[in-house]
Amino acid sequence: MPRFQIVSDFKPTGDQPTAIEQLVEGVNRGDTMQTLLGATATGKTFTVAHIVEQTQRPTLVLVHNKTLAAQLYAEFKELFPHNAVEYFVSYYDYYQPEAYVPRHDLYIEKDASINEEIERLRLAATTSLLSRRDVLIVGSVSALYGMGNPEDYGHFVVRLARGETRRRDIVLRHLVAIQYERNDFELRLGRFRVRGDTLEIMPAYADLAYRVEFFGDEIERISEIDPLTGEVLMEHISIEIYPAKHFVTPEDKLQAAFGAIEQEMDEQMDRFKEEEKLLEAQRIEQRTRYDLEMLREIGYCSGIENYSRHLDQRAAGTPPWT
């Protein structure tokens, strides 16, 4: 497993060596809070990089806006070129939450525009966290919002190895189950295509693609390719394909969640009826039953995060995974 290693022509100077030594001691001692003081351009990023290198721990650098996050991401990426430096910020270019105005019986549907490149970077961050230890993630407050269960996410990984026997149709079903789409014409993020005995997959978190060549039910060759030109970049003995979405739920949990969602819906409807809010009761039943139908038929619905507690099988009042 790679270790954090700074690549730089510069060395800590001035107060930096003392600061690094004291902060590393605090981390190893288990201090929960420490403060590094310094004016602008005094090398705080460089100092933190040395702390990361000496402690060798997965690190989250949390900042308050996307602009600063992008700046720090570029700086840490330059300092740690051989390690997994990732970027995790909100992927919404535009977001309008859903709302309901009972007086006018007006429902305003959730509307959002998602930046595909930022979504790819978020998925890359999640993948790195689950697959390696030399990870430094620069994130905004988006990193504190609810996400899918990491245990379920890790269980849905599709692992393929050269020489193993795998039925191609089963592999395709597994890819669909982890939210990949089949498109035999255009290879894009989160899609795969099939041409004869050749399967090409473009992970949702990478800017490259994999070509898996079958001979009957045996995987004969696994190549990393340029998705645009098809040029073979390198050969692999094995690969792992992680889910294309953060919210993935096993079938048994999904089935169990349906009953829990319906029970909560009935309780909320009874509460509205007691308060003589009949329109609200009708609306919540209509919306919930539509979402449940979508979940049963296609495994996904708009606003699925509303049901995350039931899908994760968490008790009421418990915080979500972040």
Side-chain angles (χ1 to χ4, degrees):
M1 188 65 70
R3 292 171 58 83
F4 279 112
Q5 182 181 0
I6 293 175
V7 177
S8 174
D9 295 331
F10 301 101
K11 301 293 181 185
T13 59
D15 294 334
Q16 290 176 342
T18 304
I20 292 167
E21 182 183 351
Q22 292 178 354
L23 289 167
V24 169
E25 285 178 0
V27 171
N28 294 332
R29 194 168 51 238
D31 293 354
T32 56
M33 296 180 69
Q34 299 187 91
T35 303
L36 172 63
L37 299 176
T40 302
T42 56
K44 293 188 294 299
T45 304
F46 190 58
T47 301
V48 170
H50 277 274
I51 296 166
V52 172
E53 184 185 48
Q54 291 190 30
T55 56
Q56 291 293 323
R57 299 190 188 192
T59 303
L60 171 63
V61 178
L62 200 62
V63 296
H64 56 277
N65 63 54
K66 289 184 180 181
T67 304
L68 183 56
Q71 177 186 330
L72 287 175
Y73 169 68
E75 291 176 4
F76 280 120
K77 193 86 171 170
E78 186 176 347
L79 288 168
F80 293 110
H82 307 306
N83 305 112
V85 178
E86 308 290 0
Y87 185 64
F88 195 101
V89 300
S90 172
Y91 56 17
Y92 291 115
D93 287 335
Y94 164 75
Y95 183 82
Q96 174 185 279
E98 64 180 349
Y100 180 61
V101 185
R103 182 180 299 177
H104 303 289
D105 190 20
L106 173 65
Y107 172 65
I108 302 171
E109 191 172 358
K110 184 181 89 169
D111 187 21
S113 173
I114 291 176
N115 186 304
E116 285 193 0
E117 177 61 16
I118 294 180
E119 183 178 25
R120 181 188 72 79
L121 292 168
R122 285 165 61 95
L123 287 162
T126 312
T127 302
S128 293
L129 270 178
L130 289 174
S131 60
R132 54 198 296 178
R133 186 167 171 81
D134 60 323
V135 183
L136 188 153
I137 295 178
V138 180
S140 67
V141 290
S142 177
L144 305 178
Y145 296 157
M147 285 177 60
N149 188 329
E151 294 170 0
D152 293 340
Y153 187 87
H155 289 156
F156 273 93
V157 177
V158 175
R159 296 178 173 86
L160 302 172
R162 190 173 64 204
E164 73 175 356
T165 301
R166 296 286 294 271
R167 284 185 55 191
R168 194 196 66 175
D169 291 348
I170 299 296
V171 174
L172 300 187
R173 288 197 198 108
H174 285 175
L175 289 172
V176 171
I178 62 174
Q179 307 290 331
Y180 280 80
E181 298 177 15
R182 179 169 178 171
N183 186 324
D184 289 342
F185 301 100
E186 184 182 15
L187 195 59
R188 291 178 54 200
L189 291 172
R191 289 173 171 79
F192 66 91
R193 66 185 176 197
V194 182
R195 294 174 174 176
D197 288 336
T198 300
L199 165 66
E200 293 181 343
I201 314 159
M202 188 166 184
Y205 46 85
D207 52 5
L208 50 85
Y210 296 111
R211 179 179 293 150
V212 182
E213 299 174 42
F214 289 83
F215 183 75
D217 287 341
E218 181 184 341
I219 297 177
E220 189 175 42
R221 186 185 183 198
I222 301 175
S223 312
E224 184 178 311
I225 64 170
D226 185 310
L228 186 62
T229 64
E231 177 190 358
V232 175
L233 304 176
M234 63 185 297
E235 302 283 335
H236 287 274
I237 296 174
S238 64
I239 58 171
E240 293 182 342
I241 305 296
Y242 285 81
K245 304 287 183 185
H246 279 125
F247 284 96
V248 286
T249 306
E251 185 63 28
D252 57 334
K253 279 191 177 182
L254 193 60
Q255 294 300 326
F258 292 150
I261 292 169
E262 287 180 336
Q263 180 181 346
E264 185 179 359
M265 177 192 70
D266 291 337
E267 292 171 359
Q268 188 62 48
M269 285 173 59
D270 291 341
R271 194 173 299 122
F272 278 142
K273 288 175 181 177
E274 286 175 6
E275 298 170 359
E276 297 186 352
K277 295 181 177 179
L278 302 182
L279 206 54
E280 287 87 339
Q282 180 193 24
R283 177 63 211 172
I284 201 167
E285 180 182 23
Q286 179 185 3
R287 173 62 196 271
T288 307
R289 293 203 183 283
Y290 174 78
D291 287 344
L292 287 172
E293 186 69 19
M294 291 290 288
L295 283 169
R296 288 190 175 101
E297 293 300 322
I298 65 173
Y300 191 79
C301 72
S302 177
I304 194 170
E305 62 273 11
N306 295 335
Y307 308 108
S308 64
R309 181 172 73 82
H310 299 298
L311 295 172
D312 289 343
Q313 296 183 344
R314 289 184 282 107
T318 55
W321 293 98
T322 59

mmCIF file of all heavy atoms in Angstrom, residues 3 9 54 64-65 88 97 104 111 115 120 126 135 143 170 172 174 181 245 251 266 295 312:
data_model
loop_
_atom_site.group_PDB
_atom_site.id
_atom_site.type_symbol
_atom_site.label_atom_id
_atom_site.label_comp_id
_atom_site.label_asym_id
_atom_site.label_seq_id
_atom_site.Cartn_x
_atom_site.Cartn_y
_atom_site.Cartn_z
ATOM 1 N N ARG A 3 2.473 4.888 0.701
ATOM 2 C CA ARG A 3 2.490 5.762 1.862
ATOM 3 C C ARG A 3 2.471 7.211 1.379
ATOM 4 O O ARG A 3 2.896 7.516 0.275
ATOM 5 C CB ARG A 3 3.744 5.513 2.700
ATOM 6 C CG ARG A 3 3.764 4.159 3.385
ATOM 7 C CD ARG A 3 5.120 3.889 4.027
ATOM 8 N NE ARG A 3 5.488 4.918 5.004
ATOM 9 C CZ ARG A 3 5.082 4.931 6.267
ATOM 10 N NH1 ARG A 3 4.274 3.980 6.710
ATOM 11 N NH2 ARG A 3 5.474 5.894 7.091
ATOM 12 N N ASP A 9 10.711 20.514 -3.766
ATOM 13 C CA ASP A 9 12.100 20.979 -3.651
ATOM 14 C C ASP A 9 12.316 21.793 -2.380
ATOM 15 O O ASP A 9 13.447 22.150 -2.043
ATOM 16 C CB ASP A 9 12.480 21.837 -4.867
ATOM 17 C CG ASP A 9 12.475 21.036 -6.158
ATOM 18 O OD1 ASP A 9 12.730 19.818 -6.094
ATOM 19 O OD2 ASP A 9 12.202 21.628 -7.227
ATOM 20 N N GLN A 54 3.815 12.620 8.149
ATOM 21 C CA GLN A 54 4.400 12.004 9.340
ATOM 22 C C GLN A 54 3.411 11.126 10.100
ATOM 23 O O GLN A 54 3.811 10.149 10.739
ATOM 24 C CB GLN A 54 4.967 13.092 10.255
ATOM 25 C CG GLN A 54 6.188 13.789 9.676
ATOM 26 C CD GLN A 54 6.886 14.691 10.686
ATOM 27 O OE1 GLN A 54 6.860 14.446 11.890
ATOM 28 N NE2 GLN A 54 7.529 15.747 10.200
ATOM 29 N N HIS A 64 -14.698 26.091 3.776
ATOM 30 C CA HIS A 64 -16.050 26.649 3.816
ATOM 31 C C HIS A 64 -16.610 27.048 2.456
ATOM 32 O O HIS A 64 -17.763 27.464 2.379
ATOM 33 C CB HIS A 64 -16.076 27.853 4.765
ATOM 34 C CG HIS A 64 -15.072 28.913 4.421
ATOM 35 N ND1 HIS A 64 -13.761 28.822 4.829
ATOM 36 C CD2 HIS A 64 -15.160 30.043 3.698
ATOM 37 C CE1 HIS A 64 -13.105 29.872 4.388
ATOM 38 N NE2 HIS A 64 -13.924 30.629 3.694
ATOM 39 N N ASN A 65 -15.849 26.942 1.367
ATOM 40 C CA ASN A 65 -16.444 27.221 0.050
ATOM 41 C C ASN A 65 -15.684 26.472 -1.043
ATOM 42 O O ASN A 65 -14.563 26.005 -0.841
ATOM 43 C CB ASN A 65 -16.500 28.731 -0.241
ATOM 44 C CG ASN A 65 -15.117 29.361 -0.304
ATOM 45 O OD1 ASN A 65 -14.253 28.906 -1.050
ATOM 46 N ND2 ASN A 65 -14.913 30.424 0.465
ATOM 47 N N PHE A 88 -14.220 16.739 -2.831
ATOM 48 C CA PHE A 88 -15.601 16.380 -2.503
ATOM 49 C C PHE A 88 -16.386 17.632 -2.109
ATOM 50 O O PHE A 88 -16.300 18.108 -0.981
ATOM 51 C CB PHE A 88 -15.616 15.375 -1.350
ATOM 52 C CG PHE A 88 -16.934 14.677 -1.154
ATOM 53 C CD1 PHE A 88 -17.125 13.391 -1.610
ATOM 54 C CD2 PHE A 88 -17.978 15.314 -0.512
ATOM 55 C CE1 PHE A 88 -18.345 12.737 -1.432
ATOM 56 C CE2 PHE A 88 -19.202 14.690 -0.336
ATOM 57 C CZ PHE A 88 -19.375 13.395 -0.794
ATOM 58 N N PRO A 97 -35.550 22.838 -3.815
ATOM 59 C CA PRO A 97 -36.155 21.749 -3.030
ATOM 60 C C PRO A 97 -37.645 21.614 -3.327
ATOM 61 O O PRO A 97 -38.297 22.563 -3.779
ATOM 62 C CB PRO A 97 -35.916 22.198 -1.588
ATOM 63 C CG PRO A 97 -35.786 23.691 -1.664
ATOM 64 C CD PRO A 97 -35.165 23.986 -2.999
ATOM 65 N N HIS A 104 -53.247 26.378 -2.072
ATOM 66 C CA HIS A 104 -53.510 26.374 -3.510
ATOM 67 C C HIS A 104 -53.409 24.970 -4.114
ATOM 68 O O HIS A 104 -53.468 24.822 -5.329
ATOM 69 C CB HIS A 104 -52.517 27.301 -4.224
ATOM 70 C CG HIS A 104 -52.541 28.713 -3.724
ATOM 71 N ND1 HIS A 104 -53.585 29.578 -3.954
ATOM 72 C CD2 HIS A 104 -51.630 29.419 -2.983
ATOM 73 C CE1 HIS A 104 -53.325 30.752 -3.385
ATOM 74 N NE2 HIS A 104 -52.154 30.679 -2.787
ATOM 75 N N ASP A 111 -36.161 20.254 -8.317
ATOM 76 C CA ASP A 111 -35.481 20.431 -9.593
ATOM 77 C C ASP A 111 -34.013 20.701 -9.316
ATOM 78 O O ASP A 111 -33.672 21.471 -8.410
ATOM 79 C CB ASP A 111 -36.105 21.604 -10.366
ATOM 80 C CG ASP A 111 -35.544 21.717 -11.783
ATOM 81 O OD1 ASP A 111 -35.021 20.701 -12.286
ATOM 82 O OD2 ASP A 111 -35.634 22.802 -12.372
ATOM 83 N N ASN A 115 -23.631 18.800 -11.796
ATOM 84 C CA ASN A 115 -22.386 18.916 -12.546
ATOM 85 C C ASN A 115 -21.739 17.528 -12.616
ATOM 86 O O ASN A 115 -21.304 16.975 -11.599
ATOM 87 C CB ASN A 115 -21.460 19.911 -11.835
ATOM 88 C CG ASN A 115 -20.196 20.194 -12.621
ATOM 89 O OD1 ASN A 115 -19.457 19.285 -12.964
ATOM 90 N ND2 ASN A 115 -19.946 21.465 -12.886
ATOM 91 N N ARG A 120 -18.331 12.965 -10.649
ATOM 92 C CA ARG A 120 -17.265 11.985 -10.864
ATOM 93 C C ARG A 120 -16.200 12.089 -9.774
ATOM 94 O O ARG A 120 -15.736 11.082 -9.238
ATOM 95 C CB ARG A 120 -16.622 12.196 -12.239
ATOM 96 C CG ARG A 120 -15.519 11.191 -12.562
ATOM 97 C CD ARG A 120 -14.778 11.538 -13.829
ATOM 98 N NE ARG A 120 -13.911 12.700 -13.682
ATOM 99 C CZ ARG A 120 -12.712 12.676 -13.099
ATOM 100 N NH1 ARG A 120 -12.239 11.550 -12.588
ATOM 101 N NH2 ARG A 120 -11.985 13.772 -13.016
ATOM 102 N N THR A 126 -15.025 8.645 -2.802
ATOM 103 C CA THR A 126 -15.610 7.515 -2.080
ATOM 104 C C THR A 126 -14.877 6.224 -2.407
ATOM 105 O O THR A 126 -14.572 5.416 -1.523
ATOM 106 C CB THR A 126 -17.097 7.365 -2.445
ATOM 107 O OG1 THR A 126 -17.735 8.633 -2.352
ATOM 108 C CG2 THR A 126 -17.788 6.399 -1.508
ATOM 109 N N VAL A 135 -5.165 8.439 1.533
ATOM 110 C CA VAL A 135 -6.217 9.281 0.963
ATOM 111 C C VAL A 135 -6.273 10.618 1.685
ATOM 112 O O VAL A 135 -6.325 10.670 2.912
ATOM 113 C CB VAL A 135 -7.600 8.596 1.067
ATOM 114 C CG1 VAL A 135 -8.667 9.459 0.414
ATOM 115 C CG2 VAL A 135 -7.577 7.226 0.435
ATOM 116 N N ALA A 143 -19.583 17.516 2.526
ATOM 117 C CA ALA A 143 -19.113 16.246 3.081
ATOM 118 C C ALA A 143 -19.857 15.867 4.363
ATOM 119 O O ALA A 143 -19.745 14.737 4.820
ATOM 120 C CB ALA A 143 -17.610 16.332 3.362
ATOM 121 N N ILE A 170 -24.252 -12.594 -16.461
ATOM 122 C CA ILE A 170 -24.324 -12.332 -15.021
ATOM 123 C C ILE A 170 -23.553 -11.059 -14.678
ATOM 124 O O ILE A 170 -23.996 -10.236 -13.870
ATOM 125 C CB ILE A 170 -23.753 -13.527 -14.221
ATOM 126 C CG1 ILE A 170 -24.560 -14.797 -14.500
ATOM 127 C CG2 ILE A 170 -23.734 -13.214 -12.732
ATOM 128 C CD1 ILE A 170 -26.000 -14.736 -14.051
ATOM 129 N N LEU A 172 -23.105 -8.512 -16.646
ATOM 130 C CA LEU A 172 -23.912 -7.374 -17.107
ATOM 131 C C LEU A 172 -25.019 -7.050 -16.113
ATOM 132 O O LEU A 172 -25.305 -5.878 -15.840
ATOM 133 C CB LEU A 172 -24.507 -7.676 -18.484
ATOM 134 C CG LEU A 172 -23.526 -7.958 -19.632
ATOM 135 C CD1 LEU A 172 -24.271 -8.067 -20.953
ATOM 136 C CD2 LEU A 172 -22.451 -6.886 -19.722
ATOM 137 N N HIS A 174 -24.937 -7.604 -12.907
ATOM 138 C CA HIS A 174 -24.317 -6.978 -11.740
ATOM 139 C C HIS A 174 -24.041 -5.494 -11.993
ATOM 140 O O HIS A 174 -24.235 -4.660 -11.098
ATOM 141 C CB HIS A 174 -23.008 -7.692 -11.404
ATOM 142 C CG HIS A 174 -23.218 -9.029 -10.750
ATOM 143 N ND1 HIS A 174 -22.181 -9.885 -10.447
ATOM 144 C CD2 HIS A 174 -24.346 -9.654 -10.343
ATOM 145 C CE1 HIS A 174 -22.667 -10.972 -9.872
ATOM 146 N NE2 HIS A 174 -23.976 -10.869 -9.811
ATOM 147 N N GLU A 181 -25.485 1.993 -16.771
ATOM 148 C CA GLU A 181 -26.423 1.921 -17.889
ATOM 149 C C GLU A 181 -25.726 1.346 -19.123
ATOM 150 O O GLU A 181 -24.563 1.653 -19.389
ATOM 151 C CB GLU A 181 -26.959 3.321 -18.236
ATOM 152 C CG GLU A 181 -27.739 3.979 -17.107
ATOM 153 C CD GLU A 181 -28.176 5.381 -17.476
ATOM 154 O OE1 GLU A 181 -28.136 5.724 -18.682
ATOM 155 O OE2 GLU A 181 -28.551 6.150 -16.571
ATOM 156 N N LYS A 245 -23.589 5.212 -8.280
ATOM 157 C CA LYS A 245 -24.319 6.147 -7.421
ATOM 158 C C LYS A 245 -23.940 5.880 -5.972
ATOM 159 O O LYS A 245 -23.534 4.779 -5.610
ATOM 160 C CB LYS A 245 -25.840 5.972 -7.580
ATOM 161 C CG LYS A 245 -26.362 6.118 -9.004
ATOM 162 C CD LYS A 245 -26.348 7.556 -9.470
ATOM 163 C CE LYS A 245 -26.947 7.678 -10.876
ATOM 164 N NZ LYS A 245 -26.829 9.055 -11.411
ATOM 165 N N GLU A 251 -31.204 -5.967 -2.096
ATOM 166 C CA GLU A 251 -32.616 -6.278 -2.351
ATOM 167 C C GLU A 251 -33.358 -6.597 -1.056
ATOM 168 O O GLU A 251 -34.507 -6.177 -0.880
ATOM 169 C CB GLU A 251 -32.711 -7.464 -3.318
ATOM 170 C CG GLU A 251 -34.122 -7.806 -3.753
ATOM 171 C CD GLU A 251 -34.807 -6.689 -4.547
ATOM 172 O OE1 GLU A 251 -34.087 -5.905 -5.202
ATOM 173 O OE2 GLU A 251 -36.056 -6.606 -4.497
ATOM 174 N N ASP A 266 -48.670 5.806 6.979
ATOM 175 C CA ASP A 266 -49.974 5.665 7.644
ATOM 176 C C ASP A 266 -50.027 6.494 8.922
ATOM 177 O O ASP A 266 -51.041 7.149 9.209
ATOM 178 C CB ASP A 266 -50.238 4.191 7.956
ATOM 179 C CG ASP A 266 -50.473 3.358 6.695
ATOM 180 O OD1 ASP A 266 -50.851 3.952 5.665
ATOM 181 O OD2 ASP A 266 -50.277 2.126 6.750
ATOM 182 N N LEU A 295 -39.653 2.661 -6.842
ATOM 183 C CA LEU A 295 -38.612 1.844 -6.214
ATOM 184 C C LEU A 295 -38.795 0.371 -6.557
ATOM 185 O O LEU A 295 -37.823 -0.347 -6.802
ATOM 186 C CB LEU A 295 -38.632 2.046 -4.700
ATOM 187 C CG LEU A 295 -38.009 3.348 -4.171
ATOM 188 C CD1 LEU A 295 -38.330 3.540 -2.700
ATOM 189 C CD2 LEU A 295 -36.498 3.332 -4.367
ATOM 190 N N ASP A 312 -31.462 2.353 5.112
ATOM 191 C CA ASP A 312 -30.289 1.987 5.921
ATOM 192 C C ASP A 312 -30.672 1.180 7.152
ATOM 193 O O ASP A 312 -29.798 0.704 7.879
ATOM 194 C CB ASP A 312 -29.547 3.248 6.393
ATOM 195 C CG ASP A 312 -28.830 3.957 5.261
ATOM 196 O OD1 ASP A 312 -28.641 3.330 4.206
ATOM 197 O OD2 ASP A 312 -28.457 5.133 5.439
#
